[in-house]
Every structure is written in structure tokens, then in C-alpha cells.
Amino acid sequence: MRKIKYKKGRKVQPTLLEYTGVHKYTQTEIQLFVYNDTDLAEFHEFDEEEMKMHVDFEKTNWLNVHGLNETNVVKNIGDYLGVDNFMLSDILNTTKRTRIDEYHDTLFFNVKSLLPEETSNNINVEQISFLLKNGILVSFQEKRSDFFTHIRDRIRTHSGIVRAKKADYLLFLLLDAIMENFYITIENEEDKVEELINLSKQSTSLSILEQIEKHRDNYNFLKRSIIPLRDSLYSIKSIKDDNVFNVIESNNFTFFDRLHQKCLELLDQIEYDLSTLESASNYFFSSQSHKMNEVMKTLTVVSVFFMPLTFIVGVYGMNFENMPELHWKYGYFIVVGFMITLLLGMIFYFKKKKWY
């Protein structure tokens, strides 16, 4: 089970292509969509050499690679597109931080996709990378998943404007689909936290505090994952007028601006949820303190009840020879009756004062 934290980055040389993820036995598969507003061709079960025959630079090409353990496939695709090795190395190195880069008219985007585990409080992490160059968008996924199923359906059914747009608009759709996973993860966390808060009002078990801290770690991990994505999208938004990202058409920058706004919304929601967790944690400690105070109050009241009785017993247990009460015929019954009367009087007085 993967820990909810970034692993320490390995020192992988840019010239050495090595997959550092956990899906080392996933078979590499390639899928290709070639389309424009009027035509669509879809290809499956082919290798990177056959890919060259299917790619049409007059149309939009989406090459989707599932599985990264066969590094020679990634290398051959990179060579075909003229991509530098340092970008290919970052695709295979899953410990890298989310970032965006453009080099030699190639736009490289590296992002983390997060989804909750159904049977635990952990979060599944998958790195997804994109290369955009010359009308070709290549997406690299560590394993087969259904993140982009609805986008494939839109391409096949000619739904929306995706077929009328270029590969940069397709990149926007894929990033938007990945960000939907953030919403799903946060919503799942919120449902669990709501249940946890309700449980904390009924029980003061230490397991509740452990769960609160676990969800706090999850939210901080989500925050660490979204912030670099926000910064990367802001770099697109802030320098669009400088024509730095030449592979993105000027009229499509507004779509990436929407993604940046979504990042801000996600971060705001995470901050709110963290404050809710903080309130739950404070409530838990307050409940613990209140419970301890009630126990101490009960013990104090009981001890006060028996303090005068203990004093009386101590006095008559001294065994002095000249104690007049020792020779009274009814001395024992008088003292016991007085003790019972004193106890009942104290109980009545404390009850009237509402001290218990």
C-alpha cells in the first residue's frame, strides 16, 4: 500500500531512462486517435514503428501510452518526435514534482492524478505526463484507467467542439479530467470527515483522533499536489501575451485559465476542510477534558462525603482509656446514627447546591 507522501526523488541521470514507479509488470499498450472535424481513425495493438505510418500531421493526433515499464517504447516515441532525453527521464521518474516546460517547440506537462481507495483512507497516486508537439499530443499513463473514457467517447461521437479544435484543446480536456479526480477525492474525504465528526460527538476513543490526523495528512497531501499544478497553469496564464508557449493557440489560453481558477477553488475548499478538521480535533480534546473533569468531580464529591466520617472513625479508633463514650450503653448506635445523619445531610446540601 502506497504511503500518502511524495517519495524522495532518486538521482536518475537524464541519459538513463528508468521507470521508478510501482507498476513494473504492466504491459505497455499504445492507442492512437487521428481526427479532424470530418474524419476519425482509431488504432489499437500496434508498436511504435507502425505508429509512424498512422500519424497524419495534417490532422490532430492523440497517442495514449498505458504502462511505462517498457522504456524502449518511450525512447522510440521520443526519438520520433525529437524530444530531449531529460523530458523522457521525467516521464519515467514518478517522484518528480508537477511542472510544465517548453523546449524546442515541445510542451511537456507532468501532473499527479489522485483518487481515493475504496477500502481504506489512503489515496492512490498516478503520474500522467503529456508531450505536445507539431499537432501530436502524447499522454503517458502508468497503467490503464478510465480517466479519459468520456473524452474518447466525445471524439468518437463528434460531441462538442473537440473534433474542431487542435491538440492543445485536447490537452485542456485531459487536464480537466485529471482535475475532476481531485474533486472526487476531496468529496470522498469530506464524506468521511463528516462521519468522523458525528462519531466524535458520541465517543472519545483515541482511534477517532488517529483518523482525524490521517485525514489531515490526506488534505495536506492534496494541497501539496495541487499547488505545483496551480503554479504551472499560472505560468501559462501569465505569459500568454509573450507568445512563449507557441504550441498553444492564443484563443485557447482562456481554457487553461479556467483550470487555474479550478485550482484556486480546490485550494480554498481544502483550507476550509482543514479548519473543519481542526475544529473536530479541538472538540475531541474538549470532550476528553470534560469527561476527565466529570470523573474528578465525582471522585471529589465522594471523598468529601467520607472525610467527616473518616474523621469520626479516627477519633473513636484512638483507644484512649479515659474516653467516656466507650462506656455508654448506646454509644455505638448514637455515633453510627450521627454519621448516617451527617452523610444524608451532606448529600441533601450538595444536591440543593447542584454540585453533582
Side-chain angles (χ1 to χ4, degrees), residues 52-313:
K52 301 174 184 178
M53 298 184 295
H54 300 317
V55 170
D56 187 348
F57 289 98
E58 299 298 324
K59 300 178 181 179
T60 301
N61 301 268
W62 175 24
L63 184 67
N64 194 16
V65 180
H66 296 104
L68 302 179
N69 57 306
E70 297 181 25
T71 58
N72 60 302
V73 175
V74 178
K75 173 64 174 175
N76 292 335
I77 293 175
D79 291 341
Y80 175 67
L81 296 177
V83 177
D84 283 9
N85 268 5
F86 80 88
M87 289 186 180
L88 301 180
S89 177
D90 287 347
I91 291 172
L92 297 172
N93 190 350
T94 60
T95 63
K96 289 291 185 178
R97 188 175 186 262
T98 295
R99 71 183 184 90
I100 187 172
D101 193 13
E102 187 183 43
Y103 189 69
H104 291 170
D105 294 328
T106 300
L107 182 66
F108 170 72
F109 212 119
N110 183 29
V111 65
K112 306 292 182 183
S113 178
L114 310 180
L115 275 177
E117 288 188 1
E118 296 181 357
T119 57
S120 70
N121 291 327
N122 291 337
I123 297 177
N124 282 321
V125 186
E126 180 184 351
Q127 177 171 288
I128 302 179
S129 304
F130 301 98
L131 291 174
L132 179 60
K133 183 176 183 179
N134 297 333
I136 301 178
L137 176 63
V138 187
S139 55
F140 297 91
Q141 297 178 245
E142 293 188 69
K143 59 182 179 65
R144 178 174 288 278
S145 59
D146 56 356
F147 299 159
F148 308 138
T149 301
H150 64 289
I151 299 177
R152 296 186 184 94
D153 292 338
R154 289 175 63 177
I155 295 175
R156 294 181 182 121
T157 60
H158 206 319
S159 177
I161 62 174
V162 59
R163 292 267 292 272
K165 289 285 189 178
K166 301 297 182 182
D168 54 345
Y169 179 77
L170 178 61
L171 174 61
F172 154 73
L173 292 180
L174 300 181
L175 290 173
D176 186 55
I178 293 174
M179 292 189 65
E180 287 300 317
N181 293 340
F182 285 103
Y183 282 100
I184 294 173
T185 304
I186 291 178
E187 183 178 359
N188 181 77
E189 285 292 315
E190 289 176 341
D191 291 340
K192 292 182 178 180
V193 168
E194 184 177 358
E195 296 177 1
L196 189 59
I197 291 175
N198 293 333
L199 183 62
S200 67
K201 296 178 181 180
Q202 305 171 7
S203 172
T204 56
S205 172
L206 287 178
S207 63
I208 295 177
L209 183 61
E210 294 176 359
Q211 293 181 57
I212 289 176
E213 293 304 316
K214 175 63 175 178
H215 288 293
R216 197 196 308 276
D217 290 341
N218 286 355
Y219 277 120
N220 286 326
F221 178 72
L222 279 165
K223 189 175 180 180
R224 294 200 310 271
S225 300
I226 296 174
I227 286 177
L229 178 59
R230 177 204 63 186
D231 296 340
S232 298
L233 292 169
Y234 181 78
S235 66
I236 296 178
K237 170 186 175 183
S238 61
I239 58 180
K240 61 183 178 181
D241 297 330
D242 298 332
N243 295 322
V244 175
F245 292 104
N246 298 320
V247 294
I248 299 178
E249 295 182 355
S250 58
N251 59 342
N252 287 335
F253 277 105
T254 182
F255 297 112
F256 292 92
D257 185 31
R258 294 179 188 177
L259 296 181
H260 179 258
Q261 292 299 321
K262 281 189 175 183
C263 284
L264 297 180
E265 293 174 3
L266 288 169
L267 289 173
D268 287 342
Q269 186 62 38
I270 289 175
E271 289 295 337
Y272 173 79
D273 292 337
L274 281 173
S275 65
T276 302
L277 271 181
E278 186 67 26
S279 299
S281 179
N282 292 337
Y283 181 85
F284 175 83
F285 286 115
S286 297
S287 298
Q288 290 278 54
S289 178
H290 177 72
K291 182 179 179 181
M292 179 61 69
N293 289 338
E294 288 297 317
V295 171
M296 295 303 298
K297 178 180 177 181
T298 301
L299 294 177
T300 301
V301 170
V302 172
S303 63
V304 169
F305 285 159
F306 285 93
M307 282 177 62
L309 305 182
T310 304
F311 173 76
I312 294 174
V313 170

